[in-house]
Amino acid sequence: MNEILNKLAHCVEFGKINKTSPYPPNMKDQDGADELAKRALEEGVKPDEILENALIPAMANIGNKFSRKEIYVPQMLMAAKAMNSAMAHLKPFFQSGETKRKGKVIIGTVSGDLHDIGKNLVAMMIEGGGWEVIDLGVDVGADKFLKALDENPGAIVGLSALLTTTMENMKKIVTTIKEKYSTSKILVGGAPVTKEYCEKIGADFYSPDPQGAVNYLKQLVC
Ligand code: B1M
């Protein structure tokens, strides 16, 4: 079992999606995350073991390397694709409730803002960290966040903003959510956002990068 999970973790970390994908060149013609996740399930490895012992550690390595600037956005995106190809095999088990996740995170880019590359990376890392992610997309206003919270009580909320102009909307969204759900945890990030701004608008946590977001969530459930 360890061998297949180690191979799967390696594929995710280095962005090997499936056998036919040409990236990375040194893994040409080898099985990728797609084939290995499928085979692990066929061999009887439980979906939560695949998540805990292959996907989560691989994504944690990716997140730490990205934080240390040892890899950049393209490598992160390849790892995301590899992880998604493995997750496609696991999702039916999570969706049926047969296998539990750590909790739910509602994420979106705030109203007026169409930037989603960073938000998608954060969402992918959070999913790779064992959480169910409800991605509301871009240009998301307070109403949509509230509706998602009504439908998913207790979910943690993640807000991303890339424009100095839309940071104001982040403040409005935090205020509106806290008015209705005062105990909701709200995580914020995005290039112009700072720890000081997070504190000023009454959000709970600021992370400059995806791994910081995953670490924050981890300590909420420990
Ligand atoms: Co725009 N844009 N853009 N843009 N764009 C910036 C942000 C800008 C800095 C460029 C510049 O002028 N130098 C500037 C903002 C200036 C400011 O407000 N201070 C800008 C502008 C002005 C605009 C327009 C207004 C341009 C115009 O039309 N005149 C317009 C606005 C549209 C709108 O949103 N309403 C616009 C449009 C666009 C495109 C559509 C063309 C495109 C977005 C495509 C897309 O996202 N699908 C785009 C892009 C690509 C950029 C740049 C070049 C790159 C942004 C990016 O994806 N970075 C950007 C300049 C730059 O950054 N060099 C720029 C990579 C990404 C991985 O980083 O998003 O910071 P980032 O995410 C990081 C962290 O911030 C963090 O983790 C991620 C990974 O480390 N993080 C979180 C992000 N969200 C988080 C959430 C968390 C935690 C961490 O918890 C929930």
Side-chain angles (χ1 to χ4, degrees), residues 1 14 33 41 56 61 68 71 75 77 103 107 112-115 125 128 135 139 146 151 154 167 169 195 222:
M1 172 178 119
F14 292 91
L41 287 169
I56 292 178
N61 283 350
R68 293 195 299 263
I71 59 164
Q75 288 102 321
L77 293 175
I107 195 166
D113 202 322
L114 302 176
H115 296 84
M125 286 295 299
D135 188 345
D139 192 16
L146 278 185
E151 289 164 0
M167 282 167 72
N169 299 337
K195 188 170 181 290
C222 286

Side-chain angles (χ1 to χ4, degrees), residues 153-208:
I156 293 147
V157 178
L159 307 178
S160 178
L162 258 285
L163 299 170
T164 42
T165 48
T166 57
M167 282 167 72
E168 268 306 301
N169 299 337
M170 184 176 257
K171 181 180 170 194
K172 283 184 209 145
I173 294 168
V174 170
T175 308
T176 310
I177 291 175
K178 292 282 184 181
E179 270 168 18
K180 186 164 182 192
Y181 294 107
S182 60
T183 57
S184 264
K185 295 284 181 215
I186 307 178
L187 160 73
V188 294
V193 182
T194 60
K195 188 170 181 290
E196 291 68 36
Y197 188 72
C198 163
E199 285 163 7
K200 190 176 148 199
I201 65 175
D204 296 282
F205 190 77
Y206 158 74
S207 172

Side-chain angles (χ1 to χ4, degrees), residues 11-56:
C11 284
V12 171
E13 189 172 339
F14 292 91
K16 177 72 177 165
I17 302 165
N18 55 33
K19 195 166 187 162
T20 55
S21 61
Y23 181 86
N26 65 340
M27 291 174 80
K28 197 169 177 272
D29 296 330
Q30 290 177 25
D31 281 344
D34 179 19
E35 292 84 5
L36 290 166
K38 186 168 178 279
R39 197 179 324 138
L41 287 169
E42 283 163 0
E43 288 179 10
V45 186
K46 292 204 170 77
D48 53 338
E49 284 173 328
I50 298 177
L51 190 65
E52 291 289 334
N53 301 326
L55 304 189
I56 292 178

